[in-house]
Amino acid sequence: MNIKGLDYNTQREKLVMPEYGREIQKMVDLAVSLPTKEERMQCALNIIRQMENKNPQISESADYEQTLWDHLYLMSHKQLDIDWPYDVSNAETIQTKPQPMAHPTMSYQSRSRHYGRLMLEVFEKLKTMPEGEERDELVRITANQMKRDLAAWGHGSLDDEKIADDMARFTDGKIQINLSTFRFEPVGASINNEPRRNKKRK
């Protein structure tokens, strides 16, 4: 909604450096429009002082003067024609956004953290082992350890199908457990979902 006589920030040009405010941006725009380089330079020096007063915490940085001139360069949309006292060729890197980080729940390690780092190394070993009794024995030991790990972490069900699925997934399909013939060992009584009760002393 536009009401005559009222000036809303949403209707104005977006500020390049909002921390300095719109008045300083107007000063920068004025400096760009001045006819001589001497006038533009004198105006730029005055603007730098105002910028430092407006944002005093910037002076805590060792290279704050470089930063101020970089900011001025960006606020002028790179149009201010002066003899820059600092190299502003890298000023645009200030506005470079970092690459987004992958969500930790999407990573391979986070999806298998209940098995632990050593188990991940076993999965990698199983990928390259030739078929035979040695591999079968390692599969047996690994599958039973996976079941114990799931019980310890309290991931709900100790479904054998989940263990077979995880084994296949983490070995890139190299190891396929046949649940019709594979027999898991009973999970130890010390690993259960019931809280331990302290025995009363006699």
Side-chain angles (χ1 to χ4, degrees), residues 43-61:
C43 189
L45 291 170
N46 291 330
I47 292 171
I48 289 294
R49 285 195 290 269
Q50 292 299 319
M51 291 169 66
E52 186 175 356
N53 291 335
K54 189 78 172 179
N55 195 10
Q57 64 269 23
I58 200 171
S59 61
E60 297 175 4
S61 173

Side-chain angles (χ1 to χ4, degrees), residues 5-193:
L6 295 181
D7 187 14
Y8 292 96
N9 278 336
T10 54
Q11 299 169 353
R12 299 174 179 176
E13 182 182 358
K14 186 176 179 181
L15 293 175
V16 179
M17 293 284 173
E19 58 267 37
Y20 295 113
R22 195 166 296 277
E23 293 305 315
I24 289 183
Q25 181 62 58
K26 289 180 180 178
M27 294 172 64
V28 176
D29 295 339
L30 173 63
V32 173
S33 67
L34 294 175
T36 68
K37 183 173 287 188
E38 290 76 14
E39 290 177 292
R40 292 192 293 270
M41 187 64 198
Q42 186 58 48
C43 189
L45 291 170
N46 291 330
I47 292 171
I48 289 294
R49 285 195 290 269
Q50 292 299 319
M51 291 169 66
E52 186 175 356
N53 291 335
K54 189 78 172 179
N55 195 10
Q57 64 269 23
I58 200 171
S59 61
E60 297 175 4
S61 173
D63 58 346
Y64 76 96
E65 292 183 340
Q66 171 75 64
T67 302
L68 288 171
W69 286 100
D70 286 343
H71 287 178
L72 177 60
Y73 178 70
L74 295 173
M75 292 170 71
S76 72
H77 302 285
K78 300 180 282 188
Q79 299 300 312
L80 183 58
D81 182 15
I82 60 173
D83 294 326
W84 294 90
Y86 290 85
D87 180 11
V88 293
S89 60
N90 294 321
E92 288 179 303
T93 60
I94 296 173
Q95 296 179 314
T96 303
K97 294 182 179 180
Q99 293 295 321
M101 296 179 64
H103 194 281
T105 58
M106 301 301 292
S107 68
Y108 175 84
Q109 288 83 357
S110 66
R111 287 185 286 111
S112 60
R113 65 184 183 278
H114 45 279
Y115 293 132
R117 180 178 58 83
L118 293 178
M119 290 296 290
L120 295 181
E121 293 179 3
V122 174
F123 294 144
E124 292 298 319
K125 182 176 182 178
L126 286 171
K127 290 180 186 180
T128 58
M129 287 186 70
E131 294 184 16
E133 292 183 3
E134 185 178 356
R135 191 181 79 169
D136 292 344
E137 179 62 14
L138 184 57
V139 168
R140 185 189 67 80
I141 295 172
T142 303
N144 282 289
Q145 183 60 47
M146 290 168 68
K147 190 163 187 173
R148 287 190 289 270
D149 289 341
L150 288 177
W153 271 72
H155 276 226
S157 68
L158 297 180
D159 188 3
D160 295 345
E161 290 186 1
K162 173 173 176 51
I163 296 170
D165 179 70
D166 284 349
M167 178 74 81
R169 181 155 52 95
F170 292 126
T171 61
D172 297 335
K174 297 292 193 307
I175 305 298
Q176 302 284 338
I177 295 178
N178 185 351
L179 293 177
S180 64
T181 58
F182 190 89
R183 293 293 176 264
F184 288 94
E185 299 171 359
V187 176
S190 62
I191 302 176
N192 54 53
N193 293 327

